[in-house]
Amino acid sequence: MPVLVITGTGTEVGKTVTTAAVAAAAVAAGRSVAVLKAAQTGVRPDERGDADEVARLAGAVTTAELARYPEPLAPGTAARRAGMAPVHPHEVAEAAAKLATEHDLVLVEGAGGLLVRFDAAGGTLADAARLLNAPVLVVASAGLGTLNTTELTARELRSREIELLGVVIGSWPGSPDLACRCNLADLPEAAGVPLLGALPAGAGALPPEEFVAMAPGWLAPRLAGTWDAEAFRVRHAP
């Protein structure tokens, strides 16, 4: 798995922090890691972007960003409004493939959900994943409403014959409600793939040294971690 594409079921689901955790676990396992942000929106040129945040939390990773647009919109819309060139799926795939020649693992982080448009032609992160023949990791929210968005994302990936590696819960609350606890059993059924981790709420606010030390415990062995999905589910069973 030299390239892994990471998408979310929507915005603000913990995609960047999950990317950082996957990167940290891979580095701890002795792998060289690069993180590619396909398109960064809503950030000024002098501000830190998502790839910078991954590097801050995960440590020794290579970062790359293909484009940056000032308004917090879908990349295609943000590019058009800024009068800037959009990012195309083939450019994402080419950049990721080049990084893969120099690193053991390349993490490609999207913007928003799977079908957010990059350009006027309707190119998406799914198109880039298909060009790369790379598996996709879906980051989902923990609570009410996540089953629908997760299943829709999984169905779209399968319709395009793109491998769905698994689902990670991007922010697990300290006091999970009934919906969260039931979703531990229901999410794998909805997605048709296993849960591969759950990050605690607020993980991104941890000091980097603590984040690096704890990250493998939030992720399943498939992601170079030690997290046990069944034990976690039993602990939080409704």
Side-chain angles (χ1 to χ4, degrees), residues 198-225:
L199 276 65
L206 290 171
E209 61 273 14
E210 291 185 28
F211 185 92
V212 167
M214 298 176 69
W218 304 329
L219 301 169
R222 187 76 187 271
L223 295 173

Side-chain angles (χ1 to χ4, degrees), residues 50-65:
D50 291 344
D52 298 315
E53 180 65 5
V54 171
R56 184 186 73 81
L57 290 169
V61 299
T62 300
T63 61
E65 185 183 279

Side-chain angles (χ1 to χ4, degrees), residues 124-212:
T124 67
L125 187 67
D127 296 315
R130 184 68 185 272
L131 289 169
L132 285 161
N133 194 28
V136 174
L137 180 68
V138 172
V139 181
S141 57
L144 198 63
T146 195
L147 297 178
N148 180 62
T149 53
T150 301
E151 184 165 354
L152 286 172
T153 302
R155 288 188 181 189
E156 181 64 24
L157 287 166
R158 291 195 180 92
S159 74
R160 294 170 177 252
E161 299 183 337
I162 299 170
E163 179 187 355
L164 172 54
L165 187 71
V167 176
V168 170
I169 296 172
S171 181
W172 181 257
S175 298
D177 62 15
L178 180 61
C180 291
R181 289 181 284 129
C182 288
N183 284 341
L184 290 175
D186 293 340
L187 269 171
E189 182 176 346
V193 291
L195 273 179
L196 294 181
L199 276 65
L206 290 171
E209 61 273 14
E210 291 185 28
F211 185 92
V212 167

Side-chain angles (χ1 to χ4, degrees), residues 56-81:
R56 184 186 73 81
L57 290 169
V61 299
T62 300
T63 61
E65 185 183 279
L66 291 187
R68 175 174 290 208
Y69 309 110
E71 294 181 317
L73 303 168
T77 304
R80 184 182 71 247
R81 284 180 52 84

Side-chain angles (χ1 to χ4, degrees), residues 71-94:
E71 294 181 317
L73 303 168
T77 304
R80 184 182 71 247
R81 284 180 52 84
M84 299 170 66
V87 172
H88 302 290
H90 72 87
E91 294 172 325
V92 179
E94 288 166 4

Side-chain angles (χ1 to χ4, degrees), residues 106-132:
V106 178
L107 303 176
V108 180
E109 182 184 346
L114 181 69
L115 298 184
V116 169
R117 293 190 173 199
F118 285 159
D119 56 26
T124 67
L125 187 67
D127 296 315
R130 184 68 185 272
L131 289 169
L132 285 161

